[in-house]
Amino acid sequence: MMHKERIWDIKEYNSQKADYLAEELNISPMVTGILLERGMQDAASMRDFLYGSATPFHDPFLLKDMQRSVERIERALAAGEQITVYGDYDVDGISASSLLYLYLKQRGGKVATYIPQRKSEGYGLNDEALKNIAEKGTTLVITVDCGISGLREVANAPKSLDIIITDHHTVPEILPPAYAIINAKQRDCGYPFKHLSGVGIAFKLCQALEQREPGRLPEWQGLTELAALGTVADIVPLVGENRELVRRGLKAMETTELVGLRALIKASGCPATGIASDNIGFGLAPRLNAVGRLEHAQLAVELLVTDDSVKAEQIAAELNRENTLRQEISRQIMEEAEAQLAQEKHIDTAIVLASEGWHQGVIGIVASRLVDKYHLPTILISLNNGVAKGSCRSIPALNLYEAIDAERDLLTQYGGHHQAAGLTLPAELLPEFKRRFREYVAQKLCPEDYLPHQAIDCVLSGSSEISIRDLEQLALLEPCGCENQAPVFAFRQALLHNQRAMGKERNHLQFVLDKGYNSYRGLMWNNADLLPYMFENMVADVAFQPKINVWNNETSVQLQAVSIHQQVTLGDMRQAADDKWRLLLGLA
């Protein structure tokens, strides 16, 4: 299989209006132009987006069952009941479990956390765990980032347990018979913002509990760094409340009193100041995820809630080791998956691959990489003792949860949302599932849906130079992420030379880009396989995100390329003798 060509969607905005708003706000027209593209048409909305609103958070009691949940938790706190916070093993669940645990502890609660072991217990609630929790004296279970699909488990739970579900995943037709359910996606929930992560819902619960305390500020802001951690890691839209939670949380990380988080920041090489969402996505989150994928995520919770600095450093070092191991396992599975793909005669709707021994905790990462590379819905499945457990990732055009739900009669368990999900089924049903899933995708999608697109915020003129000052202004758009992507720019007909592979595994592409009188160092992650199709002094259109690079105490602008279109000339054709120049070179 080959890379698919990426179609550029070049945005345009009213430059005159951008200049006018830039003058009013005293910022760069580059920033106001991007905000115009993204739907903000006046200075007031731009100001709130860039600098924050005076009242950024909605009333938590607008969430269905919040009042009932708060009253039950207050009774438990007053009576000294044992409370167990039951979380998921990803970063969202880990940070939500830690946040709610620390808050309830701060309130004097008798509280414990429980994270299921990914390999032996799987996702969400399970009968044995709830039984053991009840036997140890817990009378109130509060789930975070899970539980909404636990119909059978809640129904079978010990009668001594009250279960409050807080979740953000897609709501099934039949809800679990829980004491209360807090999920903004419920049909009859009037909460105006539907995109909170699991830790965002946990934050709202703490906010509601805090409002019940006389004399406390209703805009409860404690532990926002944990809210930021899970919100960025779970790739929910960074708009509205999510944007404000992450903005405040990133700032709070610089002076956090959480000993474990400080140790993790140090161990990951994350900067102590100016922490951005990228530092979570590529530094902090992978280390927290790694221990949940390979061993037990409870260790990550212990790190985030500990007040012992020695213990924190030890756990942070262990997470570093687990992350290195996870990277090696991911590489091996990726190679095996690519080998399987090479044996497939024709794949045009979806990738569904399975193998004995693939690590259940890592296949989701590899599935995401395959989606990035081939732009097809992808399911990777680990086979073990007759059971098939899969991680699923999608492309924007396909609602993955609905696609899996259509095959629910074959599945033992499943859950997730639009772009990511998990499932379990008997291994003997896998061929039928594979056939039906591919049929469903083929019926739902049209040929255009399989073509990857790249949004371009601005094509820069030949004489334009990208300066450090420009990047400082663009930083106002942070935190960037889902639905507030870091802006992408493009140069037309740039000259590329000195191309080479770089990195420990020689899998990244490095080059020099000359445009006009300006020269930049360029990088393209995980795209060294494009080198055979490139040559010295090739002319290309390049889409990129500009970054500040500091090396040997020198600061420069570096271009992080996301797509390269070769411009064909007669001379180019001679150099690319076998017509490989016709390939559209580039995927993010």
Side-chain angles (χ1 to χ4, degrees):
M1 293 179 68
M2 297 296 296
H3 288 295
K4 289 183 180 176
E5 62 181 34
R6 180 159 288 210
I7 298 170
W8 286 13
D9 298 326
I10 299 173
K11 302 177 183 178
E12 294 183 356
Y13 57 85
N14 184 324
S15 58
Q16 192 172 5
K17 187 172 183 178
D19 290 342
Y20 169 78
L21 290 166
E23 187 173 349
E24 183 174 350
L25 293 167
N26 193 29
I27 58 176
S28 167
M30 190 179 285
V31 175
T32 53
I34 290 168
L35 294 179
L36 282 172
E37 289 172 357
R38 299 182 182 185
M40 282 161 259
Q41 297 297 317
D42 56 72
S45 61
M46 290 183 179
R47 188 177 288 109
D48 282 350
F49 183 85
L50 295 172
Y51 305 111
S53 166
T55 55
F57 300 126
H58 301 295
D59 180 358
F61 289 98
L62 294 175
L63 284 158
K64 184 186 177 186
D65 277 1
M66 181 63 83
Q67 183 70 41
R68 180 172 170 80
S69 300
V70 166
E71 290 172 356
R72 179 64 185 89
I73 295 169
E74 291 289 357
R75 289 203 307 272
L77 291 172
E81 293 180 54
Q82 176 67 51
I83 303 171
T84 295
V85 177
Y86 190 116
D88 186 21
Y89 39 63
D90 68 0
V91 178
D92 193 15
I94 289 165
S95 55
S97 299
S98 303
L99 185 148
L100 188 53
Y101 171 86
L102 289 168
Y103 176 77
L104 294 174
K105 268 291 191 185
Q106 174 188 307
R107 290 284 307 277
K110 186 180 178 183
V111 59
T113 60
Y114 186 89
I115 308 288
Q117 211 278 344
R118 183 190 288 258
K119 186 174 181 179
S120 61
E121 296 180 85
Y123 170 78
L125 298 169
N126 70 81
D127 295 340
E128 192 64 26
L130 291 175
K131 179 184 174 184
N132 291 337
I133 286 169
E135 287 176 351
K136 292 179 180 178
T138 289
T139 53
L140 176 61
V141 169
I142 308 171
T143 77
V144 289
D145 193 36
C146 65
I148 198 68
S149 59
L151 173 63
R152 184 185 60 81
E153 291 79 7
V154 174
N156 293 339
K159 302 305 178 187
S160 60
L161 286 182
D162 283 339
I163 300 176
I164 295 173
I165 292 172
T166 77
D167 203 347
H168 74 117
H169 292 99
T170 302
V171 177
E173 287 295 322
I174 304 175
L175 294 173
Y179 183 89
I181 297 176
I182 303 174
N183 185 326
K185 293 186 175 75
Q186 294 180 85
R187 289 177 183 172
D188 52 350
C189 179
Y191 197 73
F193 188 69
K194 304 295 184 182
H195 305 297
L196 290 165
S197 62
V199 73
I201 295 288
F203 177 89
K204 299 306 295 187
L205 177 58
C206 294
Q207 189 182 25
L209 287 163
E210 192 75 355
Q211 288 190 11
R212 302 269 299 185
E213 288 286 282
R216 299 290 184 99
L217 290 175
E219 303 88 8
W220 179 74
Q221 297 177 38
L223 303 177
T224 50
E225 52 266 58
L226 293 181
L229 196 58
T231 298
V232 171
D234 216 54
I235 318 181
V236 292
L238 289 190
V239 296
E241 278 189 285
N242 286 341
R243 177 173 172 80
E244 192 61 30
L245 275 176
V246 173
R247 185 211 310 279
R248 295 181 184 215
L250 290 173
K251 188 64 180 175
M253 282 184 187
E254 298 179 6
T255 56
T256 183
E257 296 180 3
L258 298 176
V259 173
L261 183 56
R262 286 206 304 267
L264 182 64
I265 289 170
K266 181 179 178 181
S268 69
C270 176
T273 59
I275 300 174
S277 51
D278 276 359
N279 298 123
I280 293 179
F282 298 106
L284 305 181
R287 286 162 172 78
L288 293 170
N289 256 331
V291 69
R293 294 181 185 280
L294 302 184
E295 295 297 334
H296 202 307
Q298 189 67 44
L299 187 64
V301 174
E302 289 179 24
L303 171 67
L304 294 179
V305 303
T306 188
D307 56 5
D308 183 332
S309 59
V310 175
K311 180 181 179 180
E313 289 180 6
Q314 292 172 343
I315 296 176
E318 175 65 18
L319 265 56
N320 260 353
R321 289 190 291 271
E322 292 290 332
N323 190 50
T324 301
L325 178 59
R326 188 270 306 165
Q327 290 171 331
E328 175 59 23
I329 295 172
S330 299
R331 184 190 62 77
Q332 292 174 358
I333 295 176
M334 185 69 177
E335 289 179 358
E336 292 172 17
E338 295 269 34
Q340 281 195 37
L341 283 176
Q343 300 301 314
E344 298 267 357
K345 291 182 179 179
H346 188 56
I347 299 176
D348 59 358
T349 57
I351 295 172
V352 183
L353 304 174
S355 179
E356 294 277 354
W358 278 353
H359 200 295
Q360 295 169 16
V362 179
I363 53 178
I365 297 171
V366 181
S368 293
R369 288 184 62 186
L370 289 170
V371 171
D372 287 344
K373 187 169 184 178
Y374 300 117
H375 202 71
L376 290 170
T378 299
I379 300 178
L380 292 192
I381 295 170
S382 174
L383 302 173
N384 186 34
N385 296 325
V387 178
K389 291 188 175 182
S391 286
C392 322
R393 300 295 183 268
S394 192
I395 58 177
L398 180 73
N399 186 315
L400 191 55
Y401 181 85
E402 291 179 358
I404 293 170
D405 182 64
E407 324 305 335
R408 60 183 176 275
D409 59 305
L410 301 177
L411 305 178
T412 307
Q413 188 180 32
Y414 69 101
H417 42 79
H418 190 286
Q419 294 290 280
L423 57 81
T424 303
L425 73 159
E428 65 267 20
L429 298 180
L430 184 54
E432 177 66 7
F433 171 81
K434 184 175 181 178
R435 181 189 68 79
R436 282 169 49 176
F437 179 76
R438 284 182 167 176
E439 268 186 14
Y440 179 97
V441 175
Q443 291 169 3
K444 289 289 182 180
L445 301 186
C446 61
E448 293 77 15
D449 293 328
Y450 295 103
L451 298 177
H453 286 248
Q454 176 62 61
I456 308 294
D457 290 281
C458 182
V459 175
L460 299 172
S461 65
S463 60
S464 295
E465 178 187 8
I466 304 171
S467 67
I468 299 295
R469 168 66 177 164
D470 290 329
L471 297 193
E472 290 171 347
Q473 289 278 289
L474 289 171
L476 292 170
L477 297 171
E478 287 282 355
C480 292
C482 179
E483 293 193 17
N484 180 45
Q485 297 292 339
V488 174
F489 300 89
F491 280 131
R492 295 285 197 191
Q493 297 185 323
L495 192 69
L496 304 188
H497 56 96
N498 292 356
Q499 302 97 329
R500 66 182 182 87
M502 61 168 288
K504 182 180 179 182
E505 298 176 15
R506 314 298 291 170
N507 58 328
H508 307 306
L509 175 65
Q510 180 175 305
F511 56 89
V512 176
L513 181 150
D514 293 336
K515 182 62 178 174
Y517 297 106
N518 305 305
S519 185
Y520 305 91
R521 179 173 178 260
L523 293 174
M524 198 171 187
W525 303 117
N526 296 310
N527 274 270
D529 56 345
L530 298 178
L531 270 173
Y533 311 126
M534 304 180 78
F535 50 86
E536 188 73 2
N537 293 327
M538 65 180 281
V539 178
D541 295 345
V542 181
F544 59 87
Q545 294 176 344
K547 305 285 184 179
I548 293 178
N549 182 53
V550 180
W551 180 254
N552 287 337
N553 295 320
E554 289 189 11
T555 302
S556 62
V557 175
Q558 180 174 280
L559 309 185
Q560 186 172 304
V562 296
S563 182
I564 300 175
H565 289 189
Q566 183 177 337
Q567 294 299 301
V568 180
T569 67
L570 189 58
D572 294 335
M573 292 172 68
R574 293 194 186 100
Q575 293 188 52
D578 62 358
D579 282 350
K580 287 178 180 175
W581 55 269
R582 295 183 184 278
L583 289 173
L584 181 66
L585 303 179
L587 274 181

